[in-house]
């Protein structure tokens, strides 16, 4: 299932951004962000996980990348992105709950990016519907340089493998380059 040097899918994400010109006590507006906006002329680390607020994602996967964000920057990574098949409101609240300030949380609420990446799996066994399989990747100017896909890719997987898509493995890869 190697994706090496394939182009990342062309997708428009629906995000929410703070805008002080919006009146009221919720000064946010919708902002479309395209794959080109995110990846063009940049070196990006993206990791994808099955869901905001789920145990491993909350205690380990996302915090690990936040903790090592400065190490990624020192290795010439422009941005570190956490993607999940959740909507922008859920991703915003998860970021706030964890006190994450460095990682960009990207909502793939329509699962379009995940589906086009071939990473969409059925998690109906948990009442989750369709979600992302856990993986990480380095993307250089819109092309996938390397990808770490957790083993056992399958629908309704009874376990949640988390062995190779974490921050430590990604750091080891980048340092080896
Ligand atoms: C977890 O992060 O622990 C998790 C993710 C998806 C399903 C169940 C658990």
């Amino acid at each position: 299932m190697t994706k090496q040097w394939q182009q990342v899918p062309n997708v428009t994400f629906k995000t929410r951004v703070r805008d002080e010109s919006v009146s009221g006590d919720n000064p946010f507006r919708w902002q479309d962000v395209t794959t080109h906006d995110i990846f063009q002329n940049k070196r990006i680390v993206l990791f994808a996980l099955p869901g905001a607020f789920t145990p491993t994602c909350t205690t380990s996967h996302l915090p690990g990348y936040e903790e090592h964000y400065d190490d990624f920057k020192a290795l010439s990574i422009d941005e570190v992105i956490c993607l999940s098949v959740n909507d922008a409101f859920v991703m915003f609240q998860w970021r706030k709950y964890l006190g994450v300030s460095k990682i960009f949380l990207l909502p793939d609420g329509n699962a379009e990016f995940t589906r086009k990446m071939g990473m969409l799996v059925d998690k109906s066994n948990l009442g989750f519907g369709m979600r992302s399989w856990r993986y990480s990747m380095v993307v250089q100017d819109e092309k996938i340089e390397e990808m770490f896909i957790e083993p056992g890719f399958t629908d309704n997987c009874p376990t949640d493998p988390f062995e190779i898509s974490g921050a430590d493995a990604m750091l080891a890869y980048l340092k080896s380059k």
Side-chain angles (χ1 to χ4, degrees):
M1 203 191 288
T2 183
K3 312 268 179 184
Q4 232 173 359
W5 302 118
Q6 281 181 23
Q7 187 96 4
V8 287
N10 193 7
V11 164
T12 299
F13 297 96
K14 301 289 178 183
T15 74
R16 300 275 296 168
V17 293
R18 194 172 180 95
D19 182 346
E20 299 307 335
S21 70
V22 176
S23 57
D25 53 9
N26 188 18
F28 289 84
R29 62 171 168 80
W30 291 104
Q31 170 130 343
D32 283 358
V33 178
T34 68
T35 325
H36 298 301
D37 296 332
I38 295 170
F39 296 104
Q40 204 167 36
N41 297 322
K42 292 190 196 120
R43 186 163 163 79
I44 300 289
V45 164
L46 181 146
F47 61 101
L49 39 76
F53 291 102
T54 58
T56 304
C57 304
T58 300
T59 58
S60 186
H61 208 167
L62 174 52
Y65 277 93
E66 173 81 0
E67 187 185 328
H68 288 293
Y69 179 85
D70 295 339
D71 300 327
F72 288 113
K73 296 293 281 187
L75 288 162
S76 300
I77 295 298
D78 292 300
E79 208 52 74
V80 183
I81 297 173
C82 171
L83 179 142
S84 182
V85 178
N86 288 114
D87 64 66
F89 293 98
V90 168
M91 293 295 262
F92 176 79
Q93 289 300 330
W94 191 36
R95 190 172 194 265
K96 202 167 144 186
Y97 168 78
L98 280 175
V100 165
S101 62
K102 297 170 175 175
I103 308 296
F104 179 55
L105 270 62
L106 186 60
D108 186 26
N110 294 335
E112 188 183 351
F113 184 86
T114 302
R115 182 169 45 78
K116 289 179 173 173
M117 282 291 296
M119 288 290 113
L120 195 62
V121 285
D122 193 354
K123 286 199 165 290
S124 298
N125 59 326
L126 300 174
F128 280 28
M130 303 303 287
R131 295 295 177 104
S132 179
W133 189 251
R134 237 183 248 284
Y135 67 91
S136 63
M137 63 179 174
V138 184
V139 182
Q140 175 72 47
D141 191 18
E142 304 194 50
K143 295 204 178 52
I144 298 168
E145 173 187 318
E146 190 55 271
M147 211 170 160
F148 299 95
I149 303 167
E150 293 295 344
F153 181 93
T154 184
D155 286 334
N156 296 311
C157 187
T159 58
D160 174 31
F162 180 44
E163 298 167 18
I164 58 172
S165 64
D168 289 344
M170 180 57 79
L171 275 174
Y173 165 74
L174 292 170
K175 283 176 184 167
S176 77
K177 294 306 285 176

